[in-house]
Amino acid sequence: MADATTADTITATWRQESARLVGALARMTRDVDLAEDLAQDALVAALEQWPSTGVPDNPGAWLMTTAKRRGIDHIRRAETLRRKTEELGHAAEEVSPMPDLESQVDHIEDDVLRLVFLCCHPALTPESRAALTLRLVGGLTTDEIARGFLVPSTTMGQRISRAKKTLTEAGAELELPTGAERTQRLDDVMAVVYLVFTEGYVATAGDDWTRPDLAQEGIRLARLLAGIAPDEPEVHGLQALLELQGSRLPARTDADGAPVLLDDQDRTRWDALLVRRGLAALRRAEEIAARGVPIGRYYLQAAIAAEHAKATTAAATDWPRIARLYDVLAAAAPGPVVEVNRAVAHGRAAGPDAGLAVLAALPADVLRDSPLLPSVRGDLLERAGRHAEAAEEFEEAARRTRNGDERTLLERRAAKARSTT
């Protein structure tokens, strides 16, 4: 049995390397299902061997080599895949027993991006794209994805299996689309990358408030996208948004792992490098937009995040400008989540009643499965001095959330509001 340190190393390595493994193996085998199985086999081998042999100097390269060898063995046993065996065997002969992964980084990064585009194939439904991306790119287990989507694990497993089958039947290739097809699929890819990041920034389920590994994966994918679509301001807007929001991750929890709200965060703990990268990406988006290229929701959200990044204290935040940006965002990309966030901005800029007025315009049954609306309404009511009503809203939000840390935070806010009445 692995000790805690080795087990943690294996888990961390898998999180970091799984997408690269699946991407590279899928390129070699042209079979996503087989690629995922081979990657999983390598993980099992690590679980069996590393506790006794020790963690190798380059764990990612070890996993890749092991997966390739198992792939060769698998294909050699399959009579109908003899041609692939020869191709893969030839490729393996060119690879040393323990290849230098650093020399293959550029190629492997491309494989991950190809994998993202494959997961966002138009033959798949939006739900299947997200699930497959979280599985193959994010490295989440079927159980973890199922919790996030509020479905049984068996249902999610079937959804992922169907998605893979659909890709096979559609003849989907692990290639980067070009021209009009790439432009068309770019919106879907950006949406999925944003989903991967947000699942890491605010985990929808589980005991932890954040999942930094997933958030970092989202940021990394956004940087890759910016590299292959340098003339698209929205891609740079997405990168800026994720860099700026990601900069706050170190301050979003305290020493005990409990959530810390934006107003209470120690801003000296924000990652200054990510802030600089985010602001630089935003400037690139603005330069491209100045040529007349349309901007969209990611640019606008990044502009809002930049206002928070520029404020040295919570009190110094330019809430009137943020409220105006949310007004523009609501017109460009309307939706209930945008309206709830717009209510926060107007509540800070013009007082809690202004925010409550924005919420009052929403349909009564909107976002019924999310804690977002009652938690924001509770915050506005508390600021308005309506503590008893605020406590009820926080309690309702606590009932709705599936995240343990968030539930604890909301229950604490409800108790505090009750004690003030």
Side-chain angles (χ1 to χ4, degrees), residues 388-421:
E389 295 170 84
E392 292 179 5
E393 295 294 337
F394 288 137
E395 288 164 355
E396 173 60 24
R399 283 192 289 272
R400 293 187 185 187
T401 185
R402 304 185 303 279
N403 182 280
D405 279 345
E406 185 177 34
R407 184 178 304 107
T408 300
L409 172 68
L410 291 165
E411 289 172 345
R412 190 167 66 239
R413 296 194 74 181
K416 182 180 178 182
R418 288 277 182 213
S419 68
T420 311
T421 58

Side-chain angles (χ1 to χ4, degrees), residues 93-134:
E93 289 172 1
E94 299 174 349
V95 178
S96 64
M98 189 61 70
D100 177 10
L101 194 62
E102 294 300 322
S103 67
Q104 303 181 31
V105 165
D106 288 344
H107 207 69
I108 290 173
E109 295 295 310
D110 287 347
D111 287 335
V112 176
L113 196 59
R114 288 187 178 93
L115 197 59
V116 175
F117 270 91
L118 181 68
C119 291
C120 296
H121 194 277
L124 301 177
T125 64
E127 294 79 9
S128 295
R129 292 173 192 164
L132 201 58
T133 302
L134 287 172

Side-chain angles (χ1 to χ4, degrees), residues 136-191:
L136 298 184
V137 181
L140 273 66
T141 67
T142 301
D143 287 345
E144 289 172 326
I145 303 169
R147 285 200 298 272
F149 284 83
L150 287 178
V151 299
S153 182
T154 52
T155 301
M156 182 53 69
Q158 292 167 354
R159 181 181 300 176
I160 292 172
S161 295
R162 282 198 301 271
K164 292 177 186 174
K165 184 178 179 182
T166 299
L167 289 178
T168 301
E169 292 174 348
E173 296 285 347
L174 192 75
E175 300 294 341
L176 285 177
T178 58
E181 183 184 359
R182 189 169 79 180
T183 301
Q184 183 179 5
R185 286 168 63 180
L186 196 54
D187 274 349
D188 293 332
V189 171
M190 287 193 291

Side-chain angles (χ1 to χ4, degrees), residues 3-23:
D3 59 36
T5 301
T6 303
D8 289 346
T9 300
I10 294 173
T11 300
T13 302
W14 177 250
R15 289 291 195 206
Q16 293 171 3
E17 303 294 340
S18 62
R20 296 176 178 85
L21 284 170
V22 174

Side-chain angles (χ1 to χ4, degrees), residues 21 37-47 62-64 66-67 70:
L21 284 170
D37 287 345
L38 294 173
Q40 292 280 351
D41 285 349
L43 172 63
V44 171
L47 288 167
W62 189 98
L63 288 171
M64 182 67 77
T66 301
R70 297 194 175 215

Side-chain angles (χ1 to χ4, degrees), residues 65-83:
T65 299
T66 301
K68 284 179 178 177
R69 287 172 176 166
R70 297 194 175 215
I72 293 169
D73 291 342
H74 174 90
I75 293 173
R76 280 177 175 162
R77 288 195 297 268
E79 182 68 21
T80 57
L81 295 178
R82 180 170 296 170
R83 181 177 56 82

